[in-house]
Amino acid sequence: MNSPALRLDFGTIRETWLGNIKGDTLAGIVVALALIPEAIAFSIIAGVDPAVGLYASFVICVVIAFAGGRPGMISAATGAMALLMITLVREHGLQYLLAATVLTGILQIIAGYIRLGALMRFVSKSVVTGFVNALAILIFLAQMPEVTNVGWQTYAMVAGGLAIIYILPRLTKAVPSPLVAIVVLTALSMAMGLDIRTVGDMGQLPATLPMFLIPDIPLNFETLAIIFPYSVTLMLVGLLESLMTATIVDELTDTPSDKNRECKGQGVANIAAGFFGGMAGCAMIGQSVINVKSGGRGRLSTLLAGVFLLFMILVLGPWVSQIPMAALVAVMFMVAIGTFNWGSIKNLVQHPKSSSFVMLATVVVTVATHDLAKGVFTGVLLSGIFFAQKVARIVAITSTTSADGRSRDYDVRGQIFFASADSFVGAFDFKEAIDHVRIDVSRAHFWDVSAIAALDKVILKFRREGTQVEVDGLNEASLTMVDKFAMHDKPGALDSLMGH
């Protein structure tokens, strides 16, 4: 009886794991190569041994491949998370960082169960575009130290890498061009004995498998007080970056993702990372774009990125150490160029000014602070303000007077809430000498306590002038708000208005 559902389930599993074996495998190799120097760099930023970032990237990649909600997305140690760990590591050491990583994972699982992923509905297209453009700029700027004050050989290698990346696909797409660029440039560098910066110059690669360990910390409230603030911040930033990246990969692949499952998956991955000596991580937009651009689509690409990462540092360590940073810089330049939404420049003059302003503000704040969370928060806040202003203006109040001039009917249309409450009150003439006022709100909706307070004020001001007031047409939701929060029918309401 359950066979159709089972067939559908197995079909989905087969599609996400085995539907693109060649593309996922080759993409996983490219991503693994790009992960190594970044994981080392992020470890240095956080103030820990390179093995901490590399182990974290391996564990998170492998776990998120099974537990995540977005096939084809890459998660690992990231710069945004590393910046949040500096003080904790400096003041309390690595063991407290591992404990904070485990707690971060627990909080992210809780966030998944309370469906925090649904909040992505409130992130506007303008914010997403600004986030993408800011990330592209940050990825580009992050490569500048590798091409500043260096010899001509480095510039030649970067230029050669870009040439391979962009020209090879015109000839064949059998192998990802970034992978070819890395292999060719590494071979040239080793054959010619070029004196240029390599992956090995970034830090020592570990030579052993990650081991399961329990953080060596006192299990008491004092420890919790130390790590909890860091874990909350890591949880929020990690989920924000992961959910934003999932949205971008959704658009790149034209496929949906389960945002709440992604929250839980990030949590499980970080718990595993903490118990295997790794730092907290999240989704990586740069590596995710590399994966998609290299042909990766399924969960297999994410799993193999982690497996190849571990294989390369343990088995191919001496060879991987010889990869010139210029080759990886060329790949990241490709990511930056491909990530940036070039159409958004033209849209600045075509889209509404408010949308363009939100996009630009998201870019400026993110790039200025190097904090993706602050940039997105700014964009969401501005989007909310502009939306509230727009909706507040869509309130129309018209009126007609009776033949004898002793009564007036007001017809209210629109959304009454905190932003439109003042204009609602200002539309009524309280000084008009009439006996009766009828307010028809059948085509209006009262959303919050500010709206109910405005209705109270209108009714009480008319009563103060000796005018009888009748309110008709309240819908069920608005009537519930009125019954719960309105004061105009409570004893002493008019005295309260006069006193105010």
Side-chain angles (χ1 to χ4, degrees), residues 241-460:
E241 189 163 350
S242 298
L243 295 178
M244 293 293 288
T245 302
T247 300
I248 294 166
V249 177
D250 289 352
E251 294 185 2
L252 287 174
T253 60
D254 195 26
T255 56
S257 61
D258 186 337
K259 304 297 190 300
N260 291 309
R261 178 179 174 180
E262 185 62 37
C263 292
K264 300 173 190 174
Q266 291 290 331
V268 174
N270 276 318
I271 291 174
F275 282 127
F276 279 93
M279 57 201 279
C282 63
M284 305 181 77
I285 178 63
Q287 275 64 25
S288 297
V289 171
I290 291 175
N291 191 45
V292 173
K293 298 287 186 183
S294 300
R297 291 293 186 274
R299 296 182 181 275
L300 184 63
S301 63
T302 307
L303 173 65
L304 291 180
V307 172
F308 284 137
L309 170 64
L310 188 65
F311 177 77
M312 288 175 183
I313 60 179
L314 295 183
V315 179
L316 304 180
W319 296 91
V320 171
S321 298
Q322 298 301 315
I323 296 175
M325 288 301 298
L328 298 173
V329 168
V331 173
M332 297 313 293
F333 278 165
M334 179 268 298
V335 171
I337 294 170
T339 301
F340 194 89
N341 187 333
W342 298 99
S344 64
I345 298 176
K346 179 180 67 175
N347 292 336
L348 284 174
V349 295
Q350 296 180 346
H351 285 180
K353 292 182 180 178
S354 58
S355 297
S356 297
F357 186 80
V358 168
M359 191 275 285
L360 289 174
T362 304
V363 172
V364 170
V365 173
T366 301
V367 174
T369 63
H370 284 234
D371 190 328
L372 300 172
K374 290 178 181 176
V376 173
F377 176 77
T378 300
V380 171
L381 180 62
L382 288 173
S383 295
I385 292 172
F386 288 137
F387 175 76
Q389 291 178 338
K390 186 180 295 184
V391 174
R393 290 195 294 268
I394 310 177
V395 174
I397 301 178
T398 58
S399 67
T400 57
T401 186
S402 63
D404 60 5
R406 300 311 302 166
S407 65
R408 181 175 293 277
D409 287 354
Y410 285 92
D411 181 32
V412 182
R413 304 181 186 186
Q415 310 302 312
I416 315 301
F417 63 114
F418 64 88
S420 59
D422 287 343
S423 60
F424 171 75
V425 174
F428 296 90
D429 182 3
F430 302 107
K431 297 301 181 181
E432 184 180 16
I434 52 177
D435 298 327
H436 180 268
V437 163
R438 175 178 173 273
I439 304 175
D440 182 1
V441 294
S442 58
R443 285 175 284 189
H445 189 94
F446 292 79
W447 286 98
D448 56 17
V449 292
S450 297
I452 304 305
L455 182 62
D456 277 339
K457 184 178 291 187
V458 169
I459 294 173
L460 293 174

Side-chain angles (χ1 to χ4, degrees), residues 37-38 41-42 45 79 134-148 197 202 325 328-329 332-333 336 367 370:
E38 294 216 352
F42 299 149
I45 290 173
L135 219 42
I137 294 171
L138 289 177
I139 291 171
F140 183 85
L141 293 177
Q143 312 312 310
M144 289 298 100
E146 298 295 337
V147 293
T148 304
R197 186 170 164 82
M202 296 287 293
M325 288 301 298
L328 298 173
V329 168
M332 297 313 293
F333 278 165
V367 174
H370 284 234

Side-chain angles (χ1 to χ4, degrees), residues 194-274:
L194 298 180
D195 184 20
I196 57 177
R197 186 170 164 82
T198 65
V199 170
D201 296 326
M202 296 287 293
Q204 184 69 35
L205 299 179
T208 59
L209 288 168
M211 302 288 291
F212 180 85
L213 57 88
I214 296 176
D216 185 16
I217 56 168
L219 298 178
N220 53 39
F221 284 107
E222 182 179 352
T223 298
L224 182 63
I226 293 172
I227 65 174
F228 186 76
Y230 292 98
S231 295
V232 171
T233 307
L234 289 167
M235 180 268 289
L236 292 173
V237 172
L239 289 185
L240 176 61
E241 189 163 350
S242 298
L243 295 178
M244 293 293 288
T245 302
T247 300
I248 294 166
V249 177
D250 289 352
E251 294 185 2
L252 287 174
T253 60
D254 195 26
T255 56
S257 61
D258 186 337
K259 304 297 190 300
N260 291 309
R261 178 179 174 180
E262 185 62 37
C263 292
K264 300 173 190 174
Q266 291 290 331
V268 174
N270 276 318
I271 291 174

Side-chain angles (χ1 to χ4, degrees), residues 41-54:
F42 299 149
S43 299
I44 294 171
I45 290 173
V48 296
D49 188 90
V52 176
L54 290 166

